[in-house]
Amino acid sequence: MSDSATNRAPFSEDHPVLDRFRLDGRVALVTGGAQGLGRGYALSLAQAGASVMISDINEDGVQCTATEMVAAGLDVAAVRSDATDASEIDEMLAATLERFGGLHIAVNNAGINFNSAAEETPIEEWDTTFDLNLRGLFLCCQAEGRHMIAQGYGKIINVASMSSLLVPHPQKQAVYNTSKAGVAHLSCSLAAEWAPYGVRVNAISPGIVRTPLIESEALAHLKDEWLTQIPMGRLAEVSDIQAGVLYLASDASDYMTGHNLAIVGGQNLW
Ligand SMILES: NC(=O)c1ccc[n+]([C@@H]2O[C@H](COP(=O)([O-])OP(=O)(O)OC[C@H]3O[C@@H](n4cnc5c(N)ncnc54)[C@H](O)[C@@H]3O)[C@@H](O)[C@H]2O)c1
């Protein structure tokens, strides 16, 4: 809220900037939240005061993660849901509304990656990747967006990747890169359509983050090569990305929509 006469932010103890990052009374949903980045996003939103529904296709994993967070005093619940399946997405939303009575923030994080040379990529790999990373994410946005449009408020954060902005190498992952570029542009398109309804849609693009995805056998041997490409000289930790999602979920980012927030340790500079 700016003071239009002076064009200066109001100097008021009623509105200190850190309070605008608090999420008390808000309900958040995080897909693919059993582990890795999704787990980290759910944790940061809950620590900021939100009630958080974590969903994942891995039922044991998601229940275990929620149990751990509840034991830490956070208001978290879990639901098993396949983020490619329209009816399971509707059930995930219904479970969130039933458990917490609303939905204000949605982090569409579930995603997968295969590595293969483009000329050898089986088309099934394209279909499986797009089914989750783009088609499934769109279905989630639709379900969440309908609810948020009706209530006149919402924050959607779609997890893209640095690969939406550049072509990471030496790993070959044309299909993944293309799906994530789609996530970024879909977020812009939804942001423009839904801004009049008070629904902000942004993307977040992490660089290479140390998660089970990156530490898989297929990718772990590339670490030394990646380090030479990152001005900051290290891979990202989940904690490096958490605050970006909190910012996009909170009132602090109310004038931001259609943005793709890159947190990449400078890897997009060289
Ligand atoms: N790790 C990185 O370096 C990195 C960088 C940029 C972007 N990303 C993106 O961040 C997101 C999370 O990545 P991560 O590294 O934490 O991955 P991860 O593999 O560690 O975790 C992904 C989670 O998604 C779940 N999942 C898989 N398929 C699902 C489905 N159909 N429905 C619901 N849940 C499903 C998995 O069970 C798992 O819990 C992905 O979209 C990924 O593309 C990761």
Side-chain angles (χ1 to χ4, degrees):
M1 226 183 291
S2 67
D3 174 341
S4 57
T6 59
N7 200 23
R8 290 187 305 167
F11 186 60
S12 158
E13 286 183 10
D14 294 342
H15 218 56
V17 69
L18 287 181
D19 284 1
R20 283 184 252 155
F21 286 83
R22 291 289 318 174
L23 300 177
D24 307 283
R26 307 280 164 86
V27 177
L29 168 67
V30 180
T31 70
Q35 65 176 40
L37 280 160
R39 179 186 173 284
Y41 300 149
L43 185 58
S44 59
L45 299 175
Q47 285 173 339
S51 301
V52 182
M53 180 64 85
I54 315 177
S55 82
D56 203 287
I57 199 168
N58 174 355
E59 184 160 20
D60 290 346
V62 77
Q63 291 295 349
C64 190
T65 297
T67 303
E68 191 185 27
M69 292 189 196
V70 169
L74 301 170
D75 193 19
V76 172
V79 61
R80 188 223 164 260
S81 174
D82 180 346
T84 65
D85 184 308
S87 60
E88 292 198 20
I89 290 168
D90 286 343
E91 284 164 21
M92 166 181 81
L93 196 70
T96 308
L97 298 176
E98 190 185 324
R99 174 72 175 76
F100 293 122
L103 179 70
H104 308 99
I105 298 156
V107 184
N108 296 313
N109 163 79
I112 40 169
N113 184 17
F114 299 99
N115 293 97
S116 58
E119 69 277 16
E120 285 161 14
T121 299
I123 201 60
E124 293 75 21
E125 211 170 282
W126 174 283
D127 293 340
T128 306
T129 304
F130 271 71
D131 214 24
L132 178 60
N133 291 12
L134 198 49
R135 183 180 180 278
L137 181 135
F138 179 61
L139 290 170
C140 288
C141 287
Q142 275 191 314
E144 297 150 0
R146 285 185 195 115
H147 177 82
M148 291 173 177
I149 287 168
Q151 74 184 0
Y153 177 86
K155 299 265 189 177
I156 295 179
I157 299 124
N158 290 325
V159 178
S161 160
M162 176 177 70
S163 68
S164 70
L165 301 161
L166 53 82
V167 177
H169 67 101
Q171 70 274 30
K172 294 182 176 179
Q173 49 177 42
V175 175
Y176 177 81
N177 299 343
T178 309
S179 74
K180 292 298 189 176
V183 170
H185 204 60
L186 173 63
S187 303
C188 293
S189 307
L190 298 179
E193 280 195 39
W194 293 349
Y197 305 111
V199 180
R200 285 85 166 170
V201 185
N202 290 288
I204 190 156
S205 281
I208 306 171
V209 190
R210 281 198 323 113
T211 67
L213 179 79
I214 291 305
E215 286 176 347
S216 64
E217 237 174 80
L219 295 176
H221 67 283
L222 298 174
K223 187 177 168 195
D224 288 345
E225 168 87 33
W226 287 335
L227 291 179
T228 67
Q229 305 167 6
I230 303 172
M232 292 195 69
R234 66 172 176 87
L235 301 187
E237 300 295 330
V238 170
S239 56
D240 289 314
I241 317 298
Q242 281 177 312
V245 164
L246 175 58
Y247 172 62
L248 294 175
S250 74
D251 292 349
S253 63
D254 268 358
Y255 199 55
M256 182 181 269
T257 198
H259 187 71
N260 183 5
L261 180 61
I263 303 180
V264 302
Q267 197 171 352
N268 53 352
L269 301 176
W270 286 343

